[in-house]
Amino acid sequence: MSYYAVAVGRNPGIYSNWCDCEKEVKGYPNAKFQKFRLKEQAAEFVNRHKPPEIICHKESTLEQRATVESSEEENFAIANRKTTEIYRKPEKEITCQNFHSKPVYELISRNNDSIEMPFYAVAIGKTPGIYRTWKDAEKEIKGFPNARFRKFKTLKEAEEFVNQNKKESMNTQEDLDPKLDILRVNMKPFRQAGDPNPQDRETLVCFTDGSAISNGSFYCKAGWAAVFPHNENWNTSAKLSGGKKTNNRAEYLAAIEAIKRANKEDPSQSKTLYIYTDSMLLIRSMTAWVTEWMKRDWKKADGLPVLNKDLLIELVQVIGKRIIIWQHVRSHTKKKNWESFWNDKADRMAQNAARS
């Protein structure tokens, strides 16, 4: 006669036929069962692999086991061979398997912090914390940019790893926050009420443009130009040399040179600078995306690296504390209005620089 031992299933126990056993394990997560010839062997298997008993008590019945934070809450106590652990009761009922997959930081107390078992510490991820299984930890780091995690034997080591990285992250954020605040306030996507008149000769205004011939190819030639309507002796242009040459890089370089010239003429950075450009990529980069990229260590929302990071970093550096109004202008309109006139001039200068 055969005996079917179910250690982990709907109703753990010993069954005399496979049909009854199958009902208890089929579809049950992480079911554990085995066939034996002797009943004693089956019983020993069940006892050896039986999951920790879950006991639900009020705090008053747990006073001798651990101290909990609130006498008004119900808590779970998990007792096993090495330790007793007290957890906050979740809003929904949970199984033993799910219970062990909960982050350890929800644990209230333990009578043996040096217990040795795998602890997966996620310091930087979707939900930082300490996890009991690699499957749960992997969910928190997969696809997350610059995730930081590690496996430890003891809870104490795992907690130290998470806390140390948390401190480093806070220090980095403290340095980053002032820069982000300045960029959020000072980068404007269009002229607003109270802003200086761009056609006033005392206002700092620059029309920038980039040009690329055979853009994106190995043989690409690119150039940029910065034109100052009120101070044409500041006008400048140049051909891109070395490294990758694209139209977008030319647009970024034109903006960098425009800001550098403004900083030279107005070192206190007290004046608002208008930058007119036909590149919506440049405008969106500086008014909508750059702060998020910086917070993610120059990664996009999908985790991929930001293109032209070197030029974007330089842009942030040269901006300093200056207020910049990034004004979009349509290109090649053939109109004779003020904006079209100066944009066409910047376009011609950029094309000439690319061909030079």
Side-chain angles (χ1 to χ4, degrees), residues 168-189:
E168 292 177 3
S169 177
M170 289 175 64
N171 292 336
T172 302
Q173 194 65 35
E174 287 175 0
D175 295 337
L176 187 60
D177 281 346
K179 298 176 185 176
L180 297 180
D181 289 340
I182 291 172
L183 289 171
R184 290 190 188 102
V185 174
N186 291 2
M187 299 297 100
K188 299 182 179 182

mmCIF file of all heavy atoms in Angstrom, residues 168-189:
data_model
loop_
_atom_site.group_PDB
_atom_site.id
_atom_site.type_symbol
_atom_site.label_atom_id
_atom_site.label_comp_id
_atom_site.label_asym_id
_atom_site.label_seq_id
_atom_site.Cartn_x
_atom_site.Cartn_y
_atom_site.Cartn_z
ATOM 1 N N GLU A 168 23.168 57.811 2.190
ATOM 2 C CA GLU A 168 23.885 58.332 1.028
ATOM 3 C C GLU A 168 22.922 58.977 0.043
ATOM 4 O O GLU A 168 23.200 60.023 -0.529
ATOM 5 C CB GLU A 168 24.650 57.190 0.346
ATOM 6 C CG GLU A 168 25.797 56.642 1.179
ATOM 7 C CD GLU A 168 26.480 55.470 0.503
ATOM 8 O OE1 GLU A 168 26.083 55.134 -0.630
ATOM 9 O OE2 GLU A 168 27.402 54.891 1.105
ATOM 10 N N SER A 169 21.758 58.332 -0.139
ATOM 11 C CA SER A 169 20.756 58.873 -1.055
ATOM 12 C C SER A 169 20.231 60.213 -0.564
ATOM 13 O O SER A 169 20.028 61.141 -1.336
ATOM 14 C CB SER A 169 19.604 57.876 -1.203
ATOM 15 O OG SER A 169 18.594 58.404 -2.025
ATOM 16 N N MET A 170 20.023 60.326 0.767
ATOM 17 C CA MET A 170 19.524 61.579 1.336
ATOM 18 C C MET A 170 20.539 62.696 1.161
ATOM 19 O O MET A 170 20.194 63.832 0.845
ATOM 20 C CB MET A 170 19.198 61.382 2.816
ATOM 21 C CG MET A 170 17.960 60.531 3.064
ATOM 22 S SD MET A 170 17.680 60.211 4.808
ATOM 23 C CE MET A 170 17.388 61.868 5.417
ATOM 24 N N ASN A 171 21.834 62.372 1.359
ATOM 25 C CA ASN A 171 22.874 63.385 1.189
ATOM 26 C C ASN A 171 22.935 63.870 -0.250
ATOM 27 O O ASN A 171 23.076 65.056 -0.525
ATOM 28 C CB ASN A 171 24.233 62.820 1.602
ATOM 29 C CG ASN A 171 24.315 62.558 3.100
ATOM 30 O OD1 ASN A 171 23.583 63.165 3.873
ATOM 31 N ND2 ASN A 171 25.183 61.654 3.501
ATOM 32 N N THR A 172 22.827 62.924 -1.189
ATOM 33 C CA THR A 172 22.834 63.288 -2.608
ATOM 34 C C THR A 172 21.631 64.151 -2.939
ATOM 35 O O THR A 172 21.728 65.132 -3.665
ATOM 36 C CB THR A 172 22.824 62.021 -3.477
ATOM 37 O OG1 THR A 172 23.964 61.225 -3.145
ATOM 38 C CG2 THR A 172 22.867 62.378 -4.952
ATOM 39 N N GLN A 173 20.463 63.780 -2.375
ATOM 40 C CA GLN A 173 19.242 64.522 -2.655
ATOM 41 C C GLN A 173 19.322 65.935 -2.093
ATOM 42 O O GLN A 173 18.837 66.885 -2.695
ATOM 43 C CB GLN A 173 18.039 63.786 -2.050
ATOM 44 C CG GLN A 173 16.698 64.286 -2.552
ATOM 45 C CD GLN A 173 16.514 64.034 -4.032
ATOM 46 O OE1 GLN A 173 16.964 63.037 -4.564
ATOM 47 N NE2 GLN A 173 15.865 64.959 -4.711
ATOM 48 N N GLU A 174 19.962 66.080 -0.907
ATOM 49 C CA GLU A 174 20.109 67.410 -0.317
ATOM 50 C C GLU A 174 20.926 68.325 -1.220
ATOM 51 O O GLU A 174 20.655 69.513 -1.334
ATOM 52 C CB GLU A 174 20.769 67.293 1.059
ATOM 53 C CG GLU A 174 19.838 66.714 2.122
ATOM 54 C CD GLU A 174 20.546 66.496 3.436
ATOM 55 O OE1 GLU A 174 21.758 66.804 3.503
ATOM 56 O OE2 GLU A 174 19.904 66.029 4.387
ATOM 57 N N ASP A 175 21.956 67.760 -1.872
ATOM 58 C CA ASP A 175 22.766 68.554 -2.797
ATOM 59 C C ASP A 175 22.000 68.858 -4.080
ATOM 60 O O ASP A 175 22.198 69.894 -4.702
ATOM 61 C CB ASP A 175 24.055 67.796 -3.148
ATOM 62 C CG ASP A 175 24.953 67.623 -1.931
ATOM 63 O OD1 ASP A 175 24.821 68.423 -0.988
ATOM 64 O OD2 ASP A 175 25.758 66.676 -1.927
ATOM 65 N N LEU A 176 21.126 67.940 -4.472
ATOM 66 C CA LEU A 176 20.431 68.060 -5.740
ATOM 67 C C LEU A 176 19.214 68.969 -5.661
ATOM 68 O O LEU A 176 18.919 69.709 -6.599
ATOM 69 C CB LEU A 176 20.001 66.665 -6.207
ATOM 70 C CG LEU A 176 19.393 66.517 -7.602
ATOM 71 C CD1 LEU A 176 20.381 66.973 -8.662
ATOM 72 C CD2 LEU A 176 18.994 65.070 -7.838
ATOM 73 N N ASP A 177 18.507 68.944 -4.541
ATOM 74 C CA ASP A 177 17.243 69.671 -4.415
ATOM 75 C C ASP A 177 17.339 71.156 -4.755
ATOM 76 O O ASP A 177 16.483 71.673 -5.477
ATOM 77 C CB ASP A 177 16.672 69.496 -3.010
ATOM 78 C CG ASP A 177 15.988 68.139 -2.854
ATOM 79 O OD1 ASP A 177 15.738 67.489 -3.886
ATOM 80 O OD2 ASP A 177 15.720 67.732 -1.717
ATOM 81 N N PRO A 178 18.349 71.908 -4.243
ATOM 82 C CA PRO A 178 18.420 73.335 -4.596
ATOM 83 C C PRO A 178 18.533 73.562 -6.102
ATOM 84 O O PRO A 178 17.924 74.487 -6.643
ATOM 85 C CB PRO A 178 19.681 73.813 -3.860
ATOM 86 C CG PRO A 178 19.860 72.848 -2.741
ATOM 87 C CD PRO A 178 19.396 71.535 -3.284
ATOM 88 N N LYS A 179 19.305 72.719 -6.791
ATOM 89 C CA LYS A 179 19.450 72.862 -8.238
ATOM 90 C C LYS A 179 18.118 72.609 -8.935
ATOM 91 O O LYS A 179 17.746 73.317 -9.870
ATOM 92 C CB LYS A 179 20.500 71.880 -8.760
ATOM 93 C CG LYS A 179 21.899 72.105 -8.201
ATOM 94 C CD LYS A 179 22.848 71.039 -8.690
ATOM 95 C CE LYS A 179 24.220 71.174 -8.039
ATOM 96 N NZ LYS A 179 25.129 70.077 -8.440
ATOM 97 N N LEU A 180 17.412 71.587 -8.467
ATOM 98 C CA LEU A 180 16.123 71.259 -9.074
ATOM 99 C C LEU A 180 15.121 72.380 -8.858
ATOM 100 O O LEU A 180 14.347 72.721 -9.754
ATOM 101 C CB LEU A 180 15.582 69.949 -8.491
ATOM 102 C CG LEU A 180 16.419 68.695 -8.743
ATOM 103 C CD1 LEU A 180 15.760 67.482 -8.101
ATOM 104 C CD2 LEU A 180 16.608 68.453 -10.228
ATOM 105 N N ASP A 181 15.120 72.952 -7.653
ATOM 106 C CA ASP A 181 14.192 74.049 -7.358
ATOM 107 C C ASP A 181 14.446 75.244 -8.268
ATOM 108 O O ASP A 181 13.510 75.873 -8.773
ATOM 109 C CB ASP A 181 14.326 74.476 -5.893
ATOM 110 C CG ASP A 181 13.770 73.422 -4.938
ATOM 111 O OD1 ASP A 181 12.969 72.582 -5.401
ATOM 112 O OD2 ASP A 181 14.147 73.435 -3.762
ATOM 113 N N ILE A 182 15.720 75.562 -8.478
ATOM 114 C CA ILE A 182 16.067 76.690 -9.354
ATOM 115 C C ILE A 182 15.592 76.423 -10.777
ATOM 116 O O ILE A 182 14.998 77.289 -11.429
ATOM 117 C CB ILE A 182 17.589 76.940 -9.326
ATOM 118 C CG1 ILE A 182 18.002 77.490 -7.952
ATOM 119 C CG2 ILE A 182 17.996 77.914 -10.432
ATOM 120 C CD1 ILE A 182 19.499 77.576 -7.760
ATOM 121 N N LEU A 183 15.837 75.213 -11.255
ATOM 122 C CA LEU A 183 15.437 74.883 -12.622
ATOM 123 C C LEU A 183 13.920 74.907 -12.782
ATOM 124 O O LEU A 183 13.399 75.381 -13.791
ATOM 125 C CB LEU A 183 15.981 73.506 -13.007
ATOM 126 C CG LEU A 183 17.494 73.423 -13.222
ATOM 127 C CD1 LEU A 183 17.930 71.978 -13.370
ATOM 128 C CD2 LEU A 183 17.910 74.220 -14.451
ATOM 129 N N ARG A 184 13.209 74.391 -11.777
ATOM 130 C CA ARG A 184 11.747 74.362 -11.871
ATOM 131 C C ARG A 184 11.169 75.773 -11.956
ATOM 132 O O ARG A 184 10.205 76.025 -12.672
ATOM 133 C CB ARG A 184 11.160 73.642 -10.652
ATOM 134 C CG ARG A 184 11.414 72.139 -10.622
ATOM 135 C CD ARG A 184 10.603 71.478 -9.528
ATOM 136 N NE ARG A 184 10.968 70.088 -9.345
ATOM 137 C CZ ARG A 184 11.734 69.643 -8.357
ATOM 138 N NH1 ARG A 184 12.213 70.489 -7.469
ATOM 139 N NH2 ARG A 184 12.025 68.359 -8.254
ATOM 140 N N VAL A 185 11.752 76.699 -11.196
ATOM 141 C CA VAL A 185 11.228 78.066 -11.136
ATOM 142 C C VAL A 185 11.722 78.910 -12.303
ATOM 143 O O VAL A 185 10.965 79.690 -12.894
ATOM 144 C CB VAL A 185 11.625 78.732 -9.796
ATOM 145 C CG1 VAL A 185 11.216 80.197 -9.784
ATOM 146 C CG2 VAL A 185 10.980 77.992 -8.632
ATOM 147 N N ASN A 186 12.995 78.759 -12.668
ATOM 148 C CA ASN A 186 13.625 79.684 -13.614
ATOM 149 C C ASN A 186 13.523 79.276 -15.078
ATOM 150 O O ASN A 186 13.828 80.070 -15.960
ATOM 151 C CB ASN A 186 15.099 79.874 -13.252
ATOM 152 C CG ASN A 186 15.264 80.642 -11.952
ATOM 153 O OD1 ASN A 186 14.283 80.995 -11.314
ATOM 154 N ND2 ASN A 186 16.488 80.902 -11.561
ATOM 155 N N MET A 187 13.132 78.029 -15.349
ATOM 156 C CA MET A 187 12.990 77.608 -16.742
ATOM 157 C C MET A 187 11.531 77.775 -17.167
ATOM 158 O O MET A 187 10.653 77.047 -16.699
ATOM 159 C CB MET A 187 13.421 76.146 -16.920
ATOM 160 C CG MET A 187 14.877 75.868 -16.567
ATOM 161 S SD MET A 187 16.068 76.749 -17.613
ATOM 162 C CE MET A 187 16.501 78.131 -16.533
ATOM 163 N N LYS A 188 11.276 78.737 -18.043
ATOM 164 C CA LYS A 188 9.905 79.028 -18.470
ATOM 165 C C LYS A 188 9.719 78.637 -19.940
ATOM 166 O O LYS A 188 10.556 78.967 -20.776
ATOM 167 C CB LYS A 188 9.600 80.514 -18.290
ATOM 168 C CG LYS A 188 9.698 80.998 -16.841
ATOM 169 C CD LYS A 188 9.336 82.475 -16.745
ATOM 170 C CE LYS A 188 9.397 82.975 -15.313
ATOM 171 N NZ LYS A 188 8.994 84.400 -15.214
ATOM 172 N N PRO A 189 8.612 77.958 -20.264
ATOM 173 C CA PRO A 189 8.397 77.522 -21.649
ATOM 174 C C PRO A 189 7.815 78.600 -22.559
ATOM 175 O O PRO A 189 7.694 78.388 -23.758
ATOM 176 C CB PRO A 189 7.408 76.362 -21.489
ATOM 177 C CG PRO A 189 6.640 76.704 -20.255
ATOM 178 C CD PRO A 189 7.607 77.416 -19.347
#
